[in-house]
Amino acid sequence: MAKIRLHVRLPRAGPMAPAERCGLCRQTFFCGRGHVYSRKHQRQLKVALERLLPQVEAARKAVRAAQVERYVPEHERCCWCLCCSCEVRKHLSHGNLTVLHGGLLEHLASPEHKKATNRFWWENKAELQMKEKFLISPQDYARFKKSMVKGLDSYEEKEDEVIKEMAAQIREVEQSRQEVVRSVLEPQPVPDPEEGSSAPGSWKGTNSQVASISQQPSYLDLPPAPELDWMETGQPLTFIGHQDTPGVGNVHSGATPPWMAQDEEYSSGNQQIGPSYEEFLKEKEKQKLKKLPPDRVGANFDHSSSTGAGWLPSFGRVWNNGRRWQSRHQFKTEAAARNKQSHKEKRLMIS
């Protein structure tokens, strides 16, 4: 039989598609434009758009009613624009004022963002119905500007009201303070001794004594203090004058202040200040010993105690000379002798 040979021609492999990088999926693919239709790419696209959508919706609510607040560092936050691949300031700040969502609305209404959004939707094949949610029309942005002007005016009115309230509180506090000072400094009428005083002569003598004291010149040539009423309602009091210790001056009379006077016990100057050199060396040794482990051998040994020649331990015949069996026999002999001595003491106690 004749052999039949079949020749099959295989199709030649075409050129490989160039490598492309997907920013949403964060991977490199070689399937060309078919990657944007894959399930993974569409799932990543949906998650990214849903992450940005709440911020855009919050900015849309501020179109009709712009909110103006005092500037705080938290207003410097930025958000990531998926279409433009850049960071955008979320709020619009100027000086001490901040317009909430003003920066994001300004970016969404810009023509650059519109071009980038159209390109992003075309490249990633996103749903066309969602594209309008990420764009702000010029009419909406103009409406936002008008509401921003109204918000600034209302904020200034609120600030003026707050300032007026604070000024009124300050005036009330100042007025109450002046009333208290005036009530203390104004002279009060002398009460009738027949109404509440049991000793009429005491009040006359007291008033004359106060007047005489106020007329005396002070050491600092200060103006005389106003005469105060030393009597409270229903409680008769008597002013007994200033109590000065005789022979001892004060600061106003030119005497040495008590904190400048030299103490008697330190007047000699022979007393040593601070610890001695020996105490310093002892403390230094203690600080060195604190760094050593507390459970070391000999930590509790008293080096100042007197020790004799037989202070070394003799158990196990460690310090004896000779062979080990000799130490064992010697230990057994001494143990037997101790046992005999203990038996004798027990018999004597029993008898």
Side-chain angles (χ1 to χ4, degrees):
M1 294 178 65
K3 295 181 179 180
I4 300 175
R5 295 181 179 179
L6 298 177
H7 297 277
V8 179
R9 293 184 178 181
L10 298 176
R12 295 181 179 180
M16 184 179 295
E20 295 184 10
R21 175 71 179 176
C22 179
L24 292 176
C25 302
R26 297 181 181 180
Q27 69 177 8
T28 303
F29 56 93
F30 300 91
C31 58
R33 293 289 300 169
H35 171 74
V36 297
Y37 298 99
S38 62
R39 293 182 179 180
K40 182 179 180 181
H41 180 80
Q42 292 296 326
R43 184 172 60 253
Q44 294 292 338
L45 176 63
K46 185 177 180 181
V47 171
L49 292 176
E50 288 179 354
R51 191 184 303 117
L52 179 62
L53 186 59
Q55 302 180 12
V56 178
E57 290 180 352
R60 281 184 177 277
K61 293 180 181 180
V63 171
R64 296 183 179 181
Q67 298 180 3
V68 181
E69 295 182 359
R70 185 177 294 275
Y71 171 78
V72 292
E74 296 180 357
H75 292 159
E76 294 293 336
R77 292 181 179 178
C78 297
C79 61
W80 181 261
C81 181
L82 190 62
C83 303
C84 302
S85 300
C86 64
E87 283 189 345
V88 181
R89 289 190 61 179
K90 193 173 182 180
H91 308 291
L92 186 62
S93 301
H94 180 72
N96 296 330
L97 302 179
T98 300
V99 181
L100 300 183
H101 306 287
L104 183 57
L105 286 173
E106 183 180 4
H107 175 75
L108 296 177
S110 62
E112 293 82 5
H113 175 75
K114 186 175 182 179
K115 293 180 182 178
T117 303
N118 294 331
R119 183 175 62 254
F120 179 82
W121 246 255
W122 172 257
E123 291 178 353
N124 295 277
K125 303 303 178 183
E127 298 181 5
L128 295 177
Q129 299 176 357
M130 295 185 62
K131 184 169 68 172
E132 296 298 329
K133 297 181 180 180
F134 295 89
L135 296 174
I136 298 295
S137 61
Q139 294 80 9
D140 292 341
Y141 189 66
R143 192 181 306 161
F144 168 72
K145 288 183 177 180
K146 294 180 180 179
S147 64
M148 182 175 60
V149 173
K150 294 180 181 179
L152 290 173
D153 295 340
S154 61
Y155 179 81
E156 291 179 357
E157 292 178 0
K158 292 180 180 179
E159 287 293 322
D160 293 340
E161 292 178 359
V162 172
I163 292 173
K164 290 179 181 179
E165 291 179 359
M166 293 176 62
Q169 293 179 359
I170 294 173
R171 284 194 295 268
E172 289 179 0
V173 172
E174 182 66 20
Q175 185 176 0
S176 61
R177 188 185 67 82
Q178 292 179 359
E179 290 178 358
V180 171
V181 174
R182 192 182 302 109
S183 63
V184 173
L185 296 180
E186 285 182 355
Q188 298 182 359
V190 180
D192 191 0
E194 295 180 357
E195 294 181 359
S197 174
S198 59
S202 61
W203 291 106
K204 296 180 181 179
T206 302
N207 294 334
S208 61
Q209 188 176 1
V210 173
S212 61
I213 291 172
S214 61
Q215 292 176 0
Q216 293 179 359
S218 62
Y219 296 101
L220 298 177
D221 296 334
L222 295 175
E227 297 182 3
L228 301 177
D229 189 8
W230 300 100
M231 183 192 70
E232 297 180 1
T233 306
Q235 297 181 1
L237 300 176
T238 303
F239 179 69
I240 60 175
H242 300 283
Q243 301 296 320
D244 295 333
T245 306
V248 180
N250 52 24
V251 182
H252 304 289
S253 61
T256 304
W259 57 87
M260 297 293 293
Q262 189 175 9
D263 298 336
E264 296 180 357
E265 55 184 20
Y266 297 105
S267 59
S268 59
N270 298 327
Q271 186 174 359
Q272 185 179 0
I273 300 176
S276 61
Y277 184 69
E278 291 78 8
E279 295 177 354
F280 170 73
L281 293 179
K282 291 180 180 179
E283 185 65 25
K284 192 175 181 180
E285 291 295 330
K286 290 182 180 179
Q287 295 296 332
K288 288 183 180 180
L289 294 176
K290 285 182 179 180
K291 297 180 181 179
L292 299 176
D295 298 334
R296 68 186 186 280
V297 178
N300 299 327
F301 181 72
D302 188 7
H303 295 273
S304 61
S305 62
S306 58
T307 56
W311 69 274
L312 290 173
S314 60
F315 54 87
R317 301 300 181 263
V318 179
W319 308 105
N320 291 357
N321 296 326
R323 298 179 182 275
R324 186 173 296 177
W325 64 269
Q326 294 176 354
S327 300
R328 184 172 66 254
H329 286 294
Q330 185 180 359
F331 177 77
K332 290 181 178 180
T333 304
E334 292 179 357
R338 286 195 300 270
N339 291 336
K340 290 180 180 180
Q341 184 68 23
S342 62
H343 285 304
K344 288 181 181 180
E345 291 178 356
K346 289 181 180 180
R347 287 176 182 177
L348 292 174
M349 292 176 63
I350 293 172
S351 62

